[in-house]
Amino acid sequence: MGAVQVGEDSAAAVAGRREDVIVVGAGVIGLTCALALLDSGRAVRVIDARAAGAGSSHGNCGTITPSHATPLAAPGVIAQALRWMLTPDAPLYVHPKLDPQLWRWLLGFAARCNPRDWRSSAQAKAALLNDSRARLEDWVTRYGLVCEFDSSGVDYVFRDAAAFAAGQHELDLLREFGVGIELIDGAAYNAQDPAFKPGLAGAIRFDHDAVLRPDKYVDELARSVRERGGEIVERCGLRGVQRRDGALELDTTGGPMRAREAVIALGAWSPQLSDAIGLPSLKRVMQPGKGYSITYDRPALTPRRPVVLRERKVCVTMWDSGFRLGSTMEFSGFDDSLNPRRLAALERGAAEYLHQPVGPVERERWQGWRPMSLDDVPLIGRVPGRDGLWLATGHGMMGVSMSAGTGQLIADLIAGRAPAIDPHPYRPERFA
């Protein structure tokens, strides 16, 4: 879908005009914020330095997963990452390069890999994931979002009995958060789904999870924003923000803009503009976590529902329009190269479980940066000390899953309404 692109004429048209709300970032979080704000009666313009949906919204696996409430910052994760540091195709990989900012972040992350902080982060993530899951299904119907949404659930599949047993250690906590869980014996699962090779140890089924095609979801969000009177300006990057004469002044590559309120939803790029928005702590709070995916035409035999091949940490999703292998977590800064070893690991992992692990035609190899926070909990709320300036970032691997809930939370906070969930765990000042 096309959007307004800023050239000389369009820059002149928008420069100097005061807006109600400007949302900076046209990814899944920025667009859901815009849509919820429009439904609150606000006038909204969305700007983005690139094309709408060009970041991690595009190529992720599109699963909607309250089952993923437990955070990456878990006991034992750092020790595992260090063991894998010399294994470039490991599911979790920290590049062994000299990057002081990354290593400072890892030290802060390691400090939160303890049972108390792990549980606290899980509780915060669960609240937003559960709210967003219910809200998203409503939005698909209300806004007519044609994005191949399917509420059939997601399965974790195991080939190793010990891994299957270990994978159940967090289930009691998820049940506390209202996540429905079914354990399935390996032989029974093999009988249910002929796409899998024999010898499975078992599976964990999360019936309330769902899936959609994320690039189509973002396109549909953009369509809905425009249909409700919102404006999307592509190729228009933010350079700075200041408050003057009761309004925010945004210095952008498309010219100066003024607004009553602004929402910064820049995902992994948030730290690069932290000084401009008056929150320099973002540089130590966030790091880009690189993920990969490969998209194919559908093979003849696919799993009956989206699955996570648990030992290999490979997510498999399928739609009428395609088939995708994805996941991995790589901390290597803003390196945008496609590492062939890590992409090959997705295919090798899938081949251990599936009779047809890849599709007949490969359509895209992709990498994207997820906005990882120190505690794996998003930063949503007012920027401390900056009237009218709001933040919605740090969603890690859960941006699509948390999108609708985040948009509504931002709209409620800006309107001064009581939100559906407690906003306290997401407040940006917890790291200020």
Side-chain angles (χ1 to χ4, degrees), residues 37-311:
L37 284 162
L38 286 162
D39 270 3
S40 292
R42 309 301 293 263
V44 180
R45 172 188 292 158
V46 184
I47 67 172
D48 198 291
R50 302 193 299 167
S56 58
S57 305
H58 174 78
N60 64 68
C61 287
T63 52
I64 312 301
T65 48
S67 63
H68 285 35
T70 52
L72 181 64
V77 164
I78 291 295
Q80 180 66 76
L82 293 175
R83 288 193 295 272
W84 278 340
M85 191 173 290
L86 299 179
T87 308
D89 58 358
L92 173 61
Y93 177 62
V94 179
H95 197 289
K97 65 180 180 179
L98 182 60
D99 183 342
Q101 192 163 307
L102 170 60
W103 287 99
R104 280 194 297 269
W105 183 88
L106 285 169
L107 286 172
F109 180 85
R112 287 166 170 80
C113 293
N114 61 77
R116 178 179 59 83
D117 287 335
W118 178 79
R119 183 184 178 88
S120 176
S121 292
Q123 189 166 10
K125 290 183 69 178
L128 187 54
L129 284 165
N130 285 332
D131 176 79
S132 197
R133 168 66 179 86
R135 200 173 299 281
L136 176 57
E137 188 152 11
D138 172 66
W139 282 21
V140 166
T141 301
R142 189 183 351 154
Y143 300 126
L145 304 178
V146 182
C147 56
E148 301 189 60
F149 179 80
D150 183 352
S151 59
S152 62
V154 173
D155 294 345
Y156 286 7
V157 181
F158 299 80
R159 289 190 61 82
D160 179 76
F164 183 40
Q168 298 174 44
H169 81 278
E170 63 189 36
L171 297 186
D172 286 343
L173 182 62
L174 292 176
R175 290 186 181 100
E176 284 184 37
F177 299 149
V179 175
I181 296 164
E182 179 186 357
L183 298 178
I184 304 173
D185 173 75
Y189 197 88
N190 271 128
Q192 291 176 17
D193 197 330
F196 285 85
K197 293 179 177 178
L200 296 180
I204 305 171
R205 175 161 296 165
F206 300 100
D207 272 326
H208 194 51
D209 286 0
V211 68
L212 50 73
R213 178 135 188 175
D215 48 348
K216 291 189 175 185
Y217 175 47
V218 173
D219 284 348
E220 287 292 282
L221 289 171
R223 174 189 60 77
S224 295
V225 166
R226 295 189 189 98
E227 285 181 353
R228 283 153 183 79
E231 182 183 10
I232 300 174
V233 185
E234 296 182 325
R235 315 282 188 260
C236 180
L238 179 69
R239 293 189 292 216
V241 184
Q242 60 180 331
R243 191 165 187 86
R244 183 178 300 166
D245 299 329
L248 292 173
E249 292 190 351
L250 282 70
D251 176 20
T252 82
T253 57
M257 299 182 186
R258 289 168 57 84
R260 179 180 172 186
E261 316 259 8
V263 179
I264 309 299
L266 287 170
W269 290 270
S270 301
Q272 296 180 332
L273 280 164
S274 59
D275 290 332
I277 67 173
L279 195 59
S281 60
L282 285 182
K283 285 179 283 190
R284 64 174 175 80
V285 166
M286 292 178 60
Q287 273 287 315
K290 191 175 181 181
Y292 292 86
S293 71
I294 311 174
T295 306
Y296 314 83
D297 288 352
R298 282 180 67 116
L301 185 62
T302 65
R304 292 187 172 180
R305 56 173 48 82
V307 294
V308 177
L309 309 176
R310 199 69 173 98
E311 291 93 340

